[in-house]
Amino acid sequence: MIRTALVALGLAIGVSAVVAQSNPIAERKDAMKSVGAATREGAAIAKGEAPFDAAKVKGIFKVYSDAAKKVPALFPDNSKTGGETTAAPKVWEDQAGFKTAFAKFEADAAKGAASATDLATFRAAFGDATKNCGSCHEAYRIKK
Amino acid sequence: MRRLLITLLVFALAGIAGFFVLTDPRVVSPGPEIGTLPQPDIENGKLLFAAGGCASCHATPGQDDKTRLGGGLELGSPFGKFHAPNISPHTRDGIGNWGTADFIQAMAAGVSPAGQHLYPSFPYTSYRLMTPKALADLLAYIRTLPAVEGRAPPHELPFPFNIRRMVGGWKLLFFDGAPFKPDPTKSDEWNRGAYLVQGPGHCAECHSARNSLGAIVQATRYAGGPDPEGKGWVPNITQSEDGLSKWSKSEIAELLKSGFTPEFDSVGGSMAAVVRNTAQLPEADRLAMAEYLKSLPPVQGPPRPPKPASGG
């Protein structure tokens, strides 16, 4: 009985791991959406619509570095199409450049987390970090 | 029988002669009246250079200096591959030898200094809305940029699209050479925006579906459609439900400045290059463009291809 339960449990874990692994398109979209949500908060602060908050700002850059670490691995060869993906074929044609772009995003986010101590330094670091959005999308994303 | 043959021959000759006359660049697309122009305003030329997105196609690919206009970028289309030419002021490889009249002729009528039709992949269909004075300003600015050596590869177009005379027939059907006419019933801001969007900005060139001959389908102008370069889908920018109806004027201006949508998604593909250009415009111009776009009636674009059944 215990053995059956353990096997079932093992299977369940295995299956859910496979399910999580097998939907990289949804995962990378969620990660990108979290970046968008953080950017919304950051833009409000940068524009003076929300007060500067050091902890919040660190959180924004953390979302960026977490996504930068996680996302490049979410483009396996079997995820080139489907799920309304807007990934450009160049992601797979130029994996090196794609990974370099994320490394730069991660570095800019880390720099921001360290340097943004007030509104002025935040604006500069936030500007640098979010420039990566457009430059990377220009090369690696198609129009939707 | 013999008379019939002669009649047919006469008709054939008349047809050929007619083709040659009607597709003659000077006949089908005469350039605008230039008149006397004041001293060029280089600052205005710089603004139009940004609004027109010249660098997006003509800057030498693979390097960061967007003022090096050596050309060479490949532009895919259903008719073949175009290569944007060198428009730097280099006298041999660029447009350094062009006079102001040559430049105006190319920009407003789509005719090269050698008297040949230019392909409408170069959006003179929109640029023609700029006045000769504005075009002279633009040329004066381009002349301040570095001369870049080297020519772009020739276009790779299969027969019959490689015959430039064919463009004459295309112009007869689809090219309207009229300049921009302000609407006196609308505000100055609206008119400025209409001019920037329709003329130098040439937004409709990508944001409209095209017919089988590559001309914009007027009924669905600005309503989006398949990307003419063959990948993805260009969004509807009219006030329809799937267009910009829920966007405020300041949200549209923000996208043209930072590339962020109201959901803080960052636009990709060639729109990223467009934003790099519109970001250089004065805020008042971005707001004017938004003012005009907010006035476009809602138009349903062509249906998108069915979404894939699998989720995610």
Side-chain angles (χ1 to χ4, degrees):
Chain A
M1 182 59 204
I2 287 174
R3 189 189 273 180
T4 317
L6 278 179
V7 167
L9 186 69
L11 272 178
I13 291 169
V15 166
S16 52
V18 167
V19 167
Q21 273 290 305
S22 70
N23 206 343
I25 295 179
E27 271 191 78
R28 70 200 187 206
K29 283 195 168 185
D30 284 347
M32 284 300 183
K33 283 201 181 109
S34 70
V35 170
T39 307
R40 177 195 296 273
E41 291 186 2
I45 295 171
K47 284 184 195 158
E49 291 162 6
F52 176 82
D53 174 335
K56 207 173 184 183
V57 158
K58 285 235 183 315
I60 291 168
F61 288 120
K62 172 121 187 2
V63 171
Y64 288 177
S65 12
D66 287 352
K69 286 192 196 101
K70 184 179 166 195
V71 172
L74 295 174
F75 291 83
D77 280 345
N78 63 4
S79 69
K80 290 182 186 176
T81 54
E84 289 180 56
T85 185
T86 53
K90 202 179 167 198
V91 169
W92 293 272
E93 290 158 16
D94 180 17
Q95 269 282 304
F98 185 60
K99 286 188 172 141
T100 308
F102 272 107
K104 182 175 175 297
F105 183 39
E106 194 187 334
D108 286 343
K111 214 160 57 193
S115 73
T117 49
D118 58 17
L119 185 56
T121 47
F122 169 68
R123 275 195 185 135
F126 183 66
D128 285 348
T130 52
K131 272 198 193 82
N132 290 294
C133 308
S135 61
C136 196
H137 283 179
E138 177 173 15
Y140 298 104
R141 189 191 197 185
I142 53 165
K143 292 155 207 165
K144 54 170 189 171
Chain B
M1 183 63 201
R2 185 148 162 212
R3 182 179 282 176
L4 181 68
L5 273 178
I6 291 170
T7 313
L8 280 177
L9 191 69
V10 166
F11 271 114
L13 285 174
I16 291 167
F19 175 81
F20 270 91
V21 171
L22 284 175
T23 60
D24 185 307
R26 286 152 303 188
V27 173
V28 68
S29 54
E33 205 64 52
I34 297 175
T36 45
L37 294 171
Q39 193 67 16
D41 175 352
I42 292 180
E43 275 308 302
N44 185 44
K46 187 178 182 185
L47 188 152
L48 291 171
F49 184 82
C54 312
S56 296
C57 282
H58 292 285
T60 308
Q63 51 95 40
D64 289 333
D65 186 351
K66 297 290 173 196
T67 63
R68 293 184 59 82
L69 305 172
L73 184 84
E74 183 183 304
L75 195 65
S77 86
F79 309 99
K81 281 184 206 158
F82 295 96
H83 293 278
N86 183 333
I87 60 159
S88 80
H90 194 278
T91 47
R92 186 191 63 217
D93 298 333
I95 62 169
N97 280 337
W98 290 27
T100 304
D102 294 329
F103 186 73
I104 292 171
Q105 184 78 13
M107 292 286 289
V111 178
S112 75
Q116 281 191 313
H117 289 298
L118 298 169
Y119 287 103
S121 49
F122 165 52
Y124 53 82
T125 38
S126 294
Y127 292 156
R128 67 175 169 80
L129 293 182
M130 288 189 261
T131 60
K133 186 210 168 286
L135 293 169
D137 292 348
L138 177 55
L139 179 64
Y141 172 69
I142 290 175
R143 281 182 177 153
T144 68
L145 301 178
V148 180
E149 207 171 302
R151 284 169 172 269
H155 301 322
E156 297 164 57
L157 305 172
F159 180 83
F161 305 118
N162 56 349
I163 303 171
R164 283 186 185 265
R165 279 271 179 171
M166 298 288 288
V167 177
W170 190 90
K171 282 181 176 172
L172 267 181
L173 293 170
F174 305 115
F175 182 58
D176 170 10
F180 179 72
K181 278 193 200 66
D183 180 344
T185 67
K186 298 281 196 347
S187 70
D188 284 352
E189 186 187 32
W190 185 93
N191 275 302
R192 174 72 178 164
Y195 169 71
L196 288 170
V197 167
Q198 298 173 21
H202 67 282
C203 307
E205 302 284 346
C206 282
H207 285 279
S208 310
R210 289 174 183 268
N211 64 19
S212 56
L213 291 173
I216 289 174
V217 179
Q218 296 302 339
T220 55
R221 200 172 180 85
Y222 299 112
D227 173 11
E229 288 178 72
K231 39 190 178 178
W233 195 266
V234 184
N236 187 330
I237 56 168
T238 72
Q239 288 298 299
S240 76
E241 199 64 17
D242 61 344
L244 301 180
S245 68
K246 293 187 197 77
W247 293 45
S248 71
K249 179 176 161 185
S250 62
E251 283 171 339
I252 297 172
E254 176 67 28
L255 182 134
L256 295 172
K257 182 182 170 192
S258 67
F260 286 115
T261 69
E263 285 84 43
F264 281 92
D265 189 355
S266 176
V267 289
S270 38
M271 193 62 197
V274 173
V275 169
R276 213 167 25 238
N277 295 320
T278 50
Q280 297 172 42
L281 299 178
E283 180 68 8
D285 279 347
R286 285 188 292 268
L287 284 166
M289 292 171 82
E291 171 79 9
Y292 172 70
L293 289 172
K294 283 302 287 177
S295 77
L296 290 176
V299 174
Q300 198 58 50
R304 286 196 181 217
K307 290 173 180 171
S310 65

